Each structure stands twice: as C-alpha cells, then as structure tokens.
Amino acid sequence: MRIAVTGSTGLIGSALTRSLRAEGHEVLRLVRRPAAAADELRWDPTGGRVAAAGLAGCEAVVHLAGAPVGARRWTDSYKRELRESRVLGTRTLAGALAALDTPPRTLIVGTAIGYYGDTGDAAVDESAGPGSGFLAELCQDWEAAAGAARDAGIRTVLGRTGLVVARGGGAWGRLFPLFKAGLGGRLGSGRQFWSHIALHDHVAALRFLLEEESLSGPVNLTAPEPATNREVTAAMGRVLHRPTPFAVPAPVLRVALGEFAADVLGSQRVLPRRLLDAGFRFAFPTVTDAIRAAL
C-alpha cells in the first residue's frame, strides 16, 4: 500500500515507518519543513494547509503528530500548543482527505487514554465515557476533529495510546537512565495503574488496524495486563538488577510538574477489549515482558 504518516520522526512514527517499508509498503512522510526528498510532503498542521494533491493515491493515513505531553511544564502557552498541534492538525488532515476525489480507505488517528481521565482501580474499555481534566477534554476535542474524514466515509480509527515502553524515547525512555543508575522508585503512593504497551506491540497493533477493516472508532492501544506504579518499579529493578529504594512524594511531584502531576499520580486501568476481540495477540502482555523487549 501507499501509506501517509505524520509524526514520522517521533518514537512511534519512526518505528512504524521502518516496519512498513521493511514489508514493501510505500511511505509518504508529512513534514512541517520544505520537502527535501521524494517521500516527503510539506504541511502546516496548525495553519490549516496541506497539499492535498500530494495525498492522492494513498490507501491509508496514520496521523501521529503532536507536541509531546510530558516534555515541558504545562504553562498556559504550552497547553495551547498541545491543543493546537493536535486539534488543528487533525482537523487540517481530515478536511484535506475528505476533499480528495478518491480518499483513502483508512485514517488512523493516534490519540491517548487520557480520554478516560482518572479511573482509579476500575478497569475500563472503549465503552467507557470521557473523564475530566485538561487531557480528557483535549482528547475529546482531538477525536472530534477527525469528523470530516468520518463523515466522508473514510474508516476512521481512534487509537487511544497508553504509556509506550521503549528505551529510545517517550516518557519511559526517561525512566531507564534513572533506574540504571539506581535512582528509580515509586511515584506517590505507587498504587496508581499505568496502562502501558511495548513499542513492538504498538507498531504491530497499528499494522493490524490498517488491515482489519471491521474496526473503526475508539480502539485502546494498551497491554492487556495494566500494572501499578509500584509493580512497574519492582519490574524495572528486577530486570535491570538495580535497587529501587527511592520514592518521590506526591507534594514534590506537584511542585516539580505542576498540573501534569495530576496525570502522573492519577490511575488509568485501561483494557484493549476491541483489539483482543478482533483477534490481535500481544507479544509482550506484561510490564516485565515489555521492559525486557525494550532492552
């Protein structure tokens, strides 16, 4: 297939691009700078501009672009950047695809399990409603921004992603050096659930969604066995053969991270019900499996 990918230089996008090309697919990468290669197409996600003609012939589009949630403190200006990079970017892309004479069959929009807010100890799947807070509201607007593609008859999948376990980037990538140095430990009480997914399984799930035409709408991209932060800490120490004596109290996290601390300390026990029901099988279902895979 000819597949367009946004966010192709990010952790997930780069891994997906490598995987698709290894299987012989043609990948068109949407970039925000002037195109410098035949496999690139320039777009301006927040400015609402994309050369729609360059998307002609694409059978699928995977939209992964957006400013990283945990990269900076959530000032008002950065929250605005987070919102614009996701909502405006998704709206721009969905509108361009809907306007094509022959639109792609499939659009996968990578959103987040932040949609559910803090679920506590309760396990939730795709049938659950939205939560509250900045991330939950952002995810709702983000997903709604894909409406033009859905209304045009494009099969639109909303891939709600959990914490991706990878050594080379993302939130988990920042944990590995700390734990390797023997400085790792639980955050807050450690009782909060962290719904994770191994990078390998995430890419495999996206590949599955490209092929599985029975799936549309929200699909949770999380491993089937969510772990608490305390269990994550123990697994990291066990796999890396390092002690995990430290704990960061909740008040310290709130000072250090500001508003984002509520999401770090919050609990999200999210299950991939629709993926499992459709026949997808995880290669690394537990957090220990995922950590070992990342190494």
Side-chain angles (χ1 to χ4, degrees):
M1 292 192 291
R2 186 170 193 253
I3 302 168
V5 178
T6 75
S8 63
T9 60
L11 173 67
I12 299 168
S14 58
L16 176 64
T17 297
R18 287 194 302 271
S19 175
L20 290 170
R21 285 178 170 165
E23 294 295 325
H25 298 291
E26 179 188 352
V27 178
L28 175 69
R29 299 181 298 124
L30 273 67
V31 297
R32 288 176 293 173
R33 51 169 173 73
D39 68 339
E40 294 181 347
L41 177 70
R42 188 178 189 180
W43 77 315
D44 180 359
T46 57
R49 293 184 294 276
V50 59
L55 294 167
C58 289
E59 297 174 68
V61 178
V62 183
H63 177 39
L64 302 172
V69 170
R72 287 166 46 191
R73 193 178 181 88
W74 284 3
T75 61
D76 288 343
S77 63
Y78 195 59
K79 287 201 291 185
R80 185 165 55 252
E81 182 178 343
L82 288 171
R83 174 172 293 279
E84 290 179 351
S85 69
R86 286 165 168 75
V87 177
L88 297 184
T90 303
R91 186 177 298 149
T92 294
L93 187 60
L97 297 177
L100 290 172
D101 292 335
T102 305
R105 294 197 310 269
T106 300
L107 168 63
I108 299 175
V109 179
T111 68
I113 60 170
Y115 175 92
Y116 301 107
D118 190 337
T119 72
D121 291 335
V124 299
D125 60 21
E126 294 88 352
S127 65
S132 60
F134 171 72
L135 271 185
E137 293 170 5
L138 171 58
C139 288
Q140 292 174 66
D141 293 343
W142 187 0
E143 294 184 356
R150 186 171 51 248
D151 294 344
I154 300 170
R155 179 175 70 95
T156 302
V157 182
L158 306 169
R160 294 174 180 166
T161 300
L163 288 166
V164 178
V165 185
R167 185 175 54 181
W172 217 287
R174 294 195 289 274
L175 292 180
F176 276 109
L178 290 173
F179 277 85
K180 283 184 176 181
L183 300 175
R186 63 175 172 81
L187 303 179
S189 70
R191 293 191 296 270
Q192 68 273 30
F193 278 91
W194 279 15
S195 291
H196 66 279
I197 184 169
L199 178 60
H200 173 96
D201 281 335
H202 196 290
V203 171
L206 290 174
R207 296 283 305 271
F208 182 84
L209 292 172
L210 285 169
E211 303 282 352
E212 185 53 62
E213 296 190 357
S214 67
L215 288 174
S216 63
V219 177
N220 293 334
L221 302 183
T222 57
E225 300 181 32
T228 64
N229 176 256
R230 189 183 295 272
E231 291 168 338
V232 168
T233 299
M236 289 285 282
R238 187 167 57 249
V239 173
L240 295 172
H241 305 291
R242 293 291 189 275
T244 56
F246 299 101
V248 183
V252 174
L253 280 172
R254 293 189 182 99
V255 170
L257 302 180
E259 189 178 348
F260 182 47
D263 290 273
V264 173
L265 295 168
S267 182
Q268 292 193 306
R269 192 177 184 180
V270 180
L271 302 178
R273 181 64 55 204
R274 298 193 69 203
L275 267 182
L276 293 173
D277 288 349
F280 181 78
R281 293 294 174 261
F282 288 82
F284 306 102
T286 72
V287 70
T288 300
D289 293 335
I291 295 167
R292 286 179 175 148
L295 294 173

mmCIF file with all atom_site columns, all heavy atoms in Angstrom, residues 6 11 28 68 74 120 151 169-171 194 197 219 238 249 257 282:
data_model
loop_
_atom_site.group_PDB
_atom_site.id
_atom_site.type_symbol
_atom_site.label_atom_id
_atom_site.label_alt_id
_atom_site.label_comp_id
_atom_site.label_asym_id
_atom_site.label_entity_id
_atom_site.label_seq_id
_atom_site.pdbx_PDB_ins_code
_atom_site.Cartn_x
_atom_site.Cartn_y
_atom_site.Cartn_z
_atom_site.occupancy
_atom_site.B_iso_or_equiv
_atom_site.pdbx_formal_charge
_atom_site.auth_seq_id
_atom_site.auth_comp_id
_atom_site.auth_asym_id
_atom_site.auth_atom_id
_atom_site.pdbx_PDB_model_num
ATOM 1   N N   . THR A 1 6   ? 2.069   11.007  9.491  1.00 0.00 ? 6   THR A N   1
ATOM 2   C CA  . THR A 1 6   ? 2.520   12.236  10.149 1.00 0.00 ? 6   THR A CA  1
ATOM 3   C C   . THR A 1 6   ? 3.241   11.848  11.439 1.00 0.00 ? 6   THR A C   1
ATOM 4   O O   . THR A 1 6   ? 2.997   10.785  12.003 1.00 0.00 ? 6   THR A O   1
ATOM 5   C CB  . THR A 1 6   ? 1.357   13.181  10.487 1.00 0.00 ? 6   THR A CB  1
ATOM 6   O OG1 . THR A 1 6   ? 0.635   12.658  11.617 1.00 0.00 ? 6   THR A OG1 1
ATOM 7   C CG2 . THR A 1 6   ? 0.402   13.340  9.308  1.00 0.00 ? 6   THR A CG2 1
ATOM 8   N N   . LEU A 1 11  ? 8.956   8.728   18.184 1.00 0.00 ? 11  LEU A N   1
ATOM 9   C CA  . LEU A 1 11  ? 9.233   7.373   18.654 1.00 0.00 ? 11  LEU A CA  1
ATOM 10  C C   . LEU A 1 11  ? 8.405   6.337   17.914 1.00 0.00 ? 11  LEU A C   1
ATOM 11  O O   . LEU A 1 11  ? 8.937   5.369   17.353 1.00 0.00 ? 11  LEU A O   1
ATOM 12  C CB  . LEU A 1 11  ? 8.953   7.296   20.161 1.00 0.00 ? 11  LEU A CB  1
ATOM 13  C CG  . LEU A 1 11  ? 9.035   5.904   20.796 1.00 0.00 ? 11  LEU A CG  1
ATOM 14  C CD1 . LEU A 1 11  ? 10.456  5.386   20.772 1.00 0.00 ? 11  LEU A CD1 1
ATOM 15  C CD2 . LEU A 1 11  ? 8.486   5.944   22.227 1.00 0.00 ? 11  LEU A CD2 1
ATOM 16  N N   . LEU A 1 28  ? 4.731   7.781   2.610  1.00 0.00 ? 28  LEU A N   1
ATOM 17  C CA  . LEU A 1 28  ? 4.828   9.214   2.352  1.00 0.00 ? 28  LEU A CA  1
ATOM 18  C C   . LEU A 1 28  ? 4.832   9.917   3.703  1.00 0.00 ? 28  LEU A C   1
ATOM 19  O O   . LEU A 1 28  ? 3.880   9.792   4.482  1.00 0.00 ? 28  LEU A O   1
ATOM 20  C CB  . LEU A 1 28  ? 3.646   9.681   1.508  1.00 0.00 ? 28  LEU A CB  1
ATOM 21  C CG  . LEU A 1 28  ? 3.547   11.191  1.265  1.00 0.00 ? 28  LEU A CG  1
ATOM 22  C CD1 . LEU A 1 28  ? 4.671   11.653  0.344  1.00 0.00 ? 28  LEU A CD1 1
ATOM 23  C CD2 . LEU A 1 28  ? 2.181   11.553  0.680  1.00 0.00 ? 28  LEU A CD2 1
ATOM 24  N N   . PRO A 1 68  ? 4.763   16.796  22.378 1.00 0.00 ? 68  PRO A N   1
ATOM 25  C CA  . PRO A 1 68  ? 4.794   15.793  23.452 1.00 0.00 ? 68  PRO A CA  1
ATOM 26  C C   . PRO A 1 68  ? 4.184   16.310  24.750 1.00 0.00 ? 68  PRO A C   1
ATOM 27  O O   . PRO A 1 68  ? 4.491   17.420  25.189 1.00 0.00 ? 68  PRO A O   1
ATOM 28  C CB  . PRO A 1 68  ? 6.286   15.487  23.611 1.00 0.00 ? 68  PRO A CB  1
ATOM 29  C CG  . PRO A 1 68  ? 6.993   16.673  23.038 1.00 0.00 ? 68  PRO A CG  1
ATOM 30  C CD  . PRO A 1 68  ? 6.118   17.197  21.947 1.00 0.00 ? 68  PRO A CD  1
ATOM 31  N N   . TRP A 1 74  ? 3.251   22.443  32.135 1.00 0.00 ? 74  TRP A N   1
ATOM 32  C CA  . TRP A 1 74  ? 2.019   22.874  31.469 1.00 0.00 ? 74  TRP A CA  1
ATOM 33  C C   . TRP A 1 74  ? 1.683   24.335  31.788 1.00 0.00 ? 74  TRP A C   1
ATOM 34  O O   . TRP A 1 74  ? 0.791   24.628  32.578 1.00 0.00 ? 74  TRP A O   1
ATOM 35  C CB  . TRP A 1 74  ? 0.860   21.987  31.901 1.00 0.00 ? 74  TRP A CB  1
ATOM 36  C CG  . TRP A 1 74  ? 0.860   20.633  31.259 1.00 0.00 ? 74  TRP A CG  1
ATOM 37  C CD1 . TRP A 1 74  ? 1.777   20.116  30.404 1.00 0.00 ? 74  TRP A CD1 1
ATOM 38  C CD2 . TRP A 1 74  ? -0.131  19.623  31.447 1.00 0.00 ? 74  TRP A CD2 1
ATOM 39  N NE1 . TRP A 1 74  ? 1.435   18.853  30.032 1.00 0.00 ? 74  TRP A NE1 1
ATOM 40  C CE2 . TRP A 1 74  ? 0.274   18.526  30.653 1.00 0.00 ? 74  TRP A CE2 1
ATOM 41  C CE3 . TRP A 1 74  ? -1.294  19.542  32.191 1.00 0.00 ? 74  TRP A CE3 1
ATOM 42  C CZ2 . TRP A 1 74  ? -0.474  17.342  30.604 1.00 0.00 ? 74  TRP A CZ2 1
ATOM 43  C CZ3 . TRP A 1 74  ? -2.029  18.376  32.144 1.00 0.00 ? 74  TRP A CZ3 1
ATOM 44  C CH2 . TRP A 1 74  ? -1.633  17.288  31.356 1.00 0.00 ? 74  TRP A CH2 1
ATOM 45  N N   . GLY A 1 120 ? -9.168  5.344   38.675 1.00 0.00 ? 120 GLY A N   1
ATOM 46  C CA  . GLY A 1 120 ? -8.977  4.672   39.956 1.00 0.00 ? 120 GLY A CA  1
ATOM 47  C C   . GLY A 1 120 ? -8.615  3.208   39.766 1.00 0.00 ? 120 GLY A C   1
ATOM 48  O O   . GLY A 1 120 ? -7.811  2.859   38.909 1.00 0.00 ? 120 GLY A O   1
ATOM 49  N N   . ASP A 1 151 ? -17.164 11.570  8.249  1.00 0.00 ? 151 ASP A N   1
ATOM 50  C CA  . ASP A 1 151 ? -18.369 11.932  7.506  1.00 0.00 ? 151 ASP A CA  1
ATOM 51  C C   . ASP A 1 151 ? -18.223 11.680  6.007  1.00 0.00 ? 151 ASP A C   1
ATOM 52  O O   . ASP A 1 151 ? -19.215 11.495  5.302  1.00 0.00 ? 151 ASP A O   1
ATOM 53  C CB  . ASP A 1 151 ? -18.712 13.408  7.746  1.00 0.00 ? 151 ASP A CB  1
ATOM 54  C CG  . ASP A 1 151 ? -19.110 13.681  9.192  1.00 0.00 ? 151 ASP A CG  1
ATOM 55  O OD1 . ASP A 1 151 ? -19.409 12.711  9.917  1.00 0.00 ? 151 ASP A OD1 1
ATOM 56  O OD2 . ASP A 1 151 ? -19.090 14.858  9.607  1.00 0.00 ? 151 ASP A OD2 1
ATOM 57  N N   . GLY A 1 169 ? 13.033  6.705   23.691 1.00 0.00 ? 169 GLY A N   1
ATOM 58  C CA  . GLY A 1 169 ? 12.264  7.936   23.658 1.00 0.00 ? 169 GLY A CA  1
ATOM 59  C C   . GLY A 1 169 ? 10.979  7.817   24.455 1.00 0.00 ? 169 GLY A C   1
ATOM 60  O O   . GLY A 1 169 ? 10.689  6.786   25.068 1.00 0.00 ? 169 GLY A O   1
ATOM 61  N N   . GLY A 1 170 ? 10.187  8.894   24.431 1.00 0.00 ? 170 GLY A N   1
ATOM 62  C CA  . GLY A 1 170 ? 8.940   8.909   25.175 1.00 0.00 ? 170 GLY A CA  1
ATOM 63  C C   . GLY A 1 170 ? 9.176   8.999   26.668 1.00 0.00 ? 170 GLY A C   1
ATOM 64  O O   . GLY A 1 170 ? 10.312  9.098   27.159 1.00 0.00 ? 170 GLY A O   1
ATOM 65  N N   . ALA A 1 171 ? 8.083   8.953   27.424 1.00 0.00 ? 171 ALA A N   1
ATOM 66  C CA  . ALA A 1 171 ? 8.173   9.073   28.877 1.00 0.00 ? 171 ALA A CA  1
ATOM 67  C C   . ALA A 1 171 ? 8.986   7.940   29.488 1.00 0.00 ? 171 ALA A C   1
ATOM 68  O O   . ALA A 1 171 ? 9.794   8.149   30.397 1.00 0.00 ? 171 ALA A O   1
ATOM 69  C CB  . ALA A 1 171 ? 6.767   9.094   29.476 1.00 0.00 ? 171 ALA A CB  1
ATOM 70  N N   . TRP A 1 194 ? -0.725  2.187   35.695 1.00 0.00 ? 194 TRP A N   1
ATOM 71  C CA  . TRP A 1 194 ? -0.105  2.714   34.477 1.00 0.00 ? 194 TRP A CA  1
ATOM 72  C C   . TRP A 1 194 ? -0.405  1.738   33.352 1.00 0.00 ? 194 TRP A C   1
ATOM 73  O O   . TRP A 1 194 ? 0.119   0.617   33.339 1.00 0.00 ? 194 TRP A O   1
ATOM 74  C CB  . TRP A 1 194 ? 1.408   2.839   34.657 1.00 0.00 ? 194 TRP A CB  1
ATOM 75  C CG  . TRP A 1 194 ? 1.849   4.062   35.392 1.00 0.00 ? 194 TRP A CG  1
ATOM 76  C CD1 . TRP A 1 194 ? 1.079   4.899   36.131 1.00 0.00 ? 194 TRP A CD1 1
ATOM 77  C CD2 . TRP A 1 194 ? 3.183   4.577   35.458 1.00 0.00 ? 194 TRP A CD2 1
ATOM 78  N NE1 . TRP A 1 194 ? 1.843   5.910   36.658 1.00 0.00 ? 194 TRP A NE1 1
ATOM 79  C CE2 . TRP A 1 194 ? 3.141   5.740   36.254 1.00 0.00 ? 194 TRP A CE2 1
ATOM 80  C CE3 . TRP A 1 194 ? 4.401   4.184   34.928 1.00 0.00 ? 194 TRP A CE3 1
ATOM 81  C CZ2 . TRP A 1 194 ? 4.255   6.504   36.540 1.00 0.00 ? 194 TRP A CZ2 1
ATOM 82  C CZ3 . TRP A 1 194 ? 5.535   4.938   35.199 1.00 0.00 ? 194 TRP A CZ3 1
ATOM 83  C CH2 . TRP A 1 194 ? 5.466   6.089   36.001 1.00 0.00 ? 194 TRP A CH2 1
ATOM 84  N N   . ILE A 1 197 ? 2.212   -0.178  26.952 1.00 0.00 ? 197 ILE A N   1
ATOM 85  C CA  . ILE A 1 197 ? 2.271   -1.059  25.791 1.00 0.00 ? 197 ILE A CA  1
ATOM 86  C C   . ILE A 1 197 ? 3.710   -1.054  25.271 1.00 0.00 ? 197 ILE A C   1
ATOM 87  O O   . ILE A 1 197 ? 4.353   0.005   25.206 1.00 0.00 ? 197 ILE A O   1
ATOM 88  C CB  . ILE A 1 197 ? 1.289   -0.621  24.684 1.00 0.00 ? 197 ILE A CB  1
ATOM 89  C CG1 . ILE A 1 197 ? 1.302   -1.630  23.521 1.00 0.00 ? 197 ILE A CG1 1
ATOM 90  C CG2 . ILE A 1 197 ? 1.567   0.801   24.201 1.00 0.00 ? 197 ILE A CG2 1
ATOM 91  C CD1 . ILE A 1 197 ? 0.177   -1.414  22.512 1.00 0.00 ? 197 ILE A CD1 1
ATOM 92  N N   . VAL A 1 219 ? -10.179 2.576   19.733 1.00 0.00 ? 219 VAL A N   1
ATOM 93  C CA  . VAL A 1 219 ? -9.512  1.301   19.993 1.00 0.00 ? 219 VAL A CA  1
ATOM 94  C C   . VAL A 1 219 ? -8.367  1.584   20.972 1.00 0.00 ? 219 VAL A C   1
ATOM 95  O O   . VAL A 1 219 ? -7.494  2.396   20.674 1.00 0.00 ? 219 VAL A O   1
ATOM 96  C CB  . VAL A 1 219 ? -8.950  0.667   18.700 1.00 0.00 ? 219 VAL A CB  1
ATOM 97  C CG1 . VAL A 1 219 ? -8.207  -0.628  19.031 1.00 0.00 ? 219 VAL A CG1 1
ATOM 98  C CG2 . VAL A 1 219 ? -10.057 0.401   17.695 1.00 0.00 ? 219 VAL A CG2 1
ATOM 99  N N   . ARG A 1 238 ? 13.963  -5.340  38.971 1.00 0.00 ? 238 ARG A N   1
ATOM 100 C CA  . ARG A 1 238 ? 14.242  -6.763  38.768 1.00 0.00 ? 238 ARG A CA  1
ATOM 101 C C   . ARG A 1 238 ? 14.946  -7.008  37.433 1.00 0.00 ? 238 ARG A C   1
ATOM 102 O O   . ARG A 1 238 ? 15.943  -7.724  37.361 1.00 0.00 ? 238 ARG A O   1
ATOM 103 C CB  . ARG A 1 238 ? 12.929  -7.542  38.834 1.00 0.00 ? 238 ARG A CB  1
ATOM 104 C CG  . ARG A 1 238 ? 13.061  -9.046  38.807 1.00 0.00 ? 238 ARG A CG  1
ATOM 105 C CD  . ARG A 1 238 ? 11.756  -9.704  39.196 1.00 0.00 ? 238 ARG A CD  1
ATOM 106 N NE  . ARG A 1 238 ? 10.647  -9.310  38.351 1.00 0.00 ? 238 ARG A NE  1
ATOM 107 C CZ  . ARG A 1 238 ? 9.622   -8.554  38.734 1.00 0.00 ? 238 ARG A CZ  1
ATOM 108 N NH1 . ARG A 1 238 ? 9.568   -8.081  39.962 1.00 0.00 ? 238 ARG A NH1 1
ATOM 109 N NH2 . ARG A 1 238 ? 8.638   -8.256  37.898 1.00 0.00 ? 238 ARG A NH2 1
ATOM 110 N N   . PRO A 1 249 ? 7.530   11.713  46.833 1.00 0.00 ? 249 PRO A N   1
ATOM 111 C CA  . PRO A 1 249 ? 6.224   12.017  47.429 1.00 0.00 ? 249 PRO A CA  1
ATOM 112 C C   . PRO A 1 249 ? 5.358   12.863  46.486 1.00 0.00 ? 249 PRO A C   1
ATOM 113 O O   . PRO A 1 249 ? 5.877   13.663  45.690 1.00 0.00 ? 249 PRO A O   1
ATOM 114 C CB  . PRO A 1 249 ? 6.574   12.799  48.692 1.00 0.00 ? 249 PRO A CB  1
ATOM 115 C CG  . PRO A 1 249 ? 8.006   12.465  48.967 1.00 0.00 ? 249 PRO A CG  1
ATOM 116 C CD  . PRO A 1 249 ? 8.642   12.243  47.637 1.00 0.00 ? 249 PRO A CD  1
ATOM 117 N N   . LEU A 1 257 ? 6.190   19.223  38.663 1.00 0.00 ? 257 LEU A N   1
ATOM 118 C CA  . LEU A 1 257 ? 5.486   19.046  37.390 1.00 0.00 ? 257 LEU A CA  1
ATOM 119 C C   . LEU A 1 257 ? 4.279   19.952  37.215 1.00 0.00 ? 257 LEU A C   1
ATOM 120 O O   . LEU A 1 257 ? 3.749   20.041  36.109 1.00 0.00 ? 257 LEU A O   1
ATOM 121 C CB  . LEU A 1 257 ? 5.032   17.579  37.254 1.00 0.00 ? 257 LEU A CB  1
ATOM 122 C CG  . LEU A 1 257 ? 6.128   16.515  37.316 1.00 0.00 ? 257 LEU A CG  1
ATOM 123 C CD1 . LEU A 1 257 ? 5.513   15.130  37.176 1.00 0.00 ? 257 LEU A CD1 1
ATOM 124 C CD2 . LEU A 1 257 ? 7.172   16.753  36.228 1.00 0.00 ? 257 LEU A CD2 1
ATOM 125 N N   . PHE A 1 282 ? -0.928  -9.990  21.761 1.00 0.00 ? 282 PHE A N   1
ATOM 126 C CA  . PHE A 1 282 ? 0.228   -9.222  22.225 1.00 0.00 ? 282 PHE A CA  1
ATOM 127 C C   . PHE A 1 282 ? 1.438   -10.136 22.384 1.00 0.00 ? 282 PHE A C   1
ATOM 128 O O   . PHE A 1 282 ? 1.342   -11.205 22.992 1.00 0.00 ? 282 PHE A O   1
ATOM 129 C CB  . PHE A 1 282 ? -0.093  -8.541  23.558 1.00 0.00 ? 282 PHE A CB  1
ATOM 130 C CG  . PHE A 1 282 ? -1.039  -7.391  23.440 1.00 0.00 ? 282 PHE A CG  1
ATOM 131 C CD1 . PHE A 1 282 ? -2.408  -7.602  23.386 1.00 0.00 ? 282 PHE A CD1 1
ATOM 132 C CD2 . PHE A 1 282 ? -0.564  -6.090  23.374 1.00 0.00 ? 282 PHE A CD2 1
ATOM 133 C CE1 . PHE A 1 282 ? -3.294  -6.540  23.272 1.00 0.00 ? 282 PHE A CE1 1
ATOM 134 C CE2 . PHE A 1 282 ? -1.439  -5.020  23.259 1.00 0.00 ? 282 PHE A CE2 1
ATOM 135 C CZ  . PHE A 1 282 ? -2.806  -5.243  23.203 1.00 0.00 ? 282 PHE A CZ  1
#
